[in-house]
Amino acid sequence: MKTTFDRKVYEAARKAYWAARYQQVKAERHAAKPPDPIEALDATTLAYIAGLLDGEGCITITRNSKSRVDSPFITFIMTHEGVMRWLGEKLGSKCSPLKRKNVQPHWKPQFKVCLGGRRAVRLLKRLLPMMIVKAPQAAVAVEFPYIVQDGKSRRVPDDVLAVREAMKVEISRLNDRRRLHTHVHDDI
């Protein structure tokens, strides 16, 4: 008895197997991942970080040079290395020396801690109720539209790109040092 080989049935079964395997491996990887340290921050630490962000931080929407995709970005820059190392440890990020051009001999070295993407949005959502100076920028950044990829296309829809670009322009406007800082927090 001769059996016939149906190529289409084989390819469909193979594709279904690898799709299920991918989902299984992805679930295992996600389960093994340690919890994000941002979720473990207590109220006092959050308040301190909100103050650091208001005074020494910057909130932007920046294009990633590797993926060529815009996303929210938080940068802290200070000369106190101990505070910056503590901040990096609390946020699960690294503290690195800032490379500057034309450094004068009397300048102290600066250190930076950066956080981007969904982790930046997660932190901003927790800090927003405590922020004063940079609350408008944080309010824009937490609304940043992320899309769920369906696996077929990695292209971001034009309407989402337009919203992202408008948000980038708005944060740039809010960060403009030449504008008058007239925002007053309701609690002050």
Side-chain angles (χ1 to χ4, degrees):
M1 172 182 225
K2 186 178 179 185
T3 58
T4 59
F5 178 74
D6 189 348
R7 185 67 147 171
K8 289 181 182 178
V9 172
Y10 169 76
E11 288 297 329
R14 184 173 177 264
K15 188 175 181 179
Y17 168 79
W18 284 110
R21 178 76 178 129
Y22 170 77
Q23 292 301 326
Q24 177 187 4
V25 170
K26 185 178 174 182
E28 289 169 0
R29 201 175 332 130
H30 182 70
K33 204 186 269 188
D36 191 338
I38 292 170
E39 299 301 328
L41 297 173
D42 61 50
T44 304
T45 304
L46 285 170
Y48 188 75
I49 294 171
L52 285 175
L53 183 55
D54 264 346
E56 303 293 335
C58 181
I59 302 169
T60 60
I61 294 179
T62 305
R63 178 153 295 161
N64 183 314
S65 60
K66 291 180 184 175
S67 66
R68 313 270 309 144
V69 175
D70 291 333
S71 64
F73 209 77
I74 303 170
T75 306
F76 298 87
I77 298 176
M78 290 177 59
T79 59
H80 195 289
E81 184 177 4
V83 171
M84 296 305 286
R85 291 206 181 281
W86 172 87
L87 182 63
E89 181 182 306
K90 289 293 181 183
L91 298 179
S93 187
K94 72 176 190 175
C95 169
S96 56
L98 185 67
K99 296 176 180 127
R100 300 190 292 180
K101 296 178 183 178
N102 304 323
V103 176
Q104 300 298 315
H106 62 280
W107 288 1
K108 292 181 181 179
Q110 290 184 321
F111 300 89
K112 70 178 179 177
V113 172
C114 300
L115 201 60
R118 295 174 198 258
R119 294 192 71 233
V121 171
R122 189 174 303 127
L123 179 63
L124 288 172
K125 284 180 179 178
R126 296 202 64 203
L127 297 180
L128 188 57
M130 296 170 255
M131 295 180 69
I132 299 171
V133 178
K134 296 196 172 84
Q137 291 93 321
V140 171
V142 298
E143 297 300 325
F144 190 81
Y146 281 100
I147 59 170
V148 177
Q149 299 290 344
D150 61 6
K152 296 176 185 174
S153 171
R154 298 194 57 87
R155 188 175 186 287
V156 179
D158 291 337
D159 58 330
V160 175
L161 286 174
V163 170
R164 288 179 176 183
E165 186 60 32
M167 294 174 98
K168 188 175 181 178
V169 168
E170 177 62 11
I171 284 188
S172 292
R173 186 189 69 75
L174 291 168
N175 284 337
D176 187 355
R177 292 180 183 183
R178 294 172 296 196
R179 74 178 181 88
L180 294 174
H181 297 280
T182 57
H183 173 73
V184 177
H185 198 275
D186 297 335
D187 295 342
I188 295 179

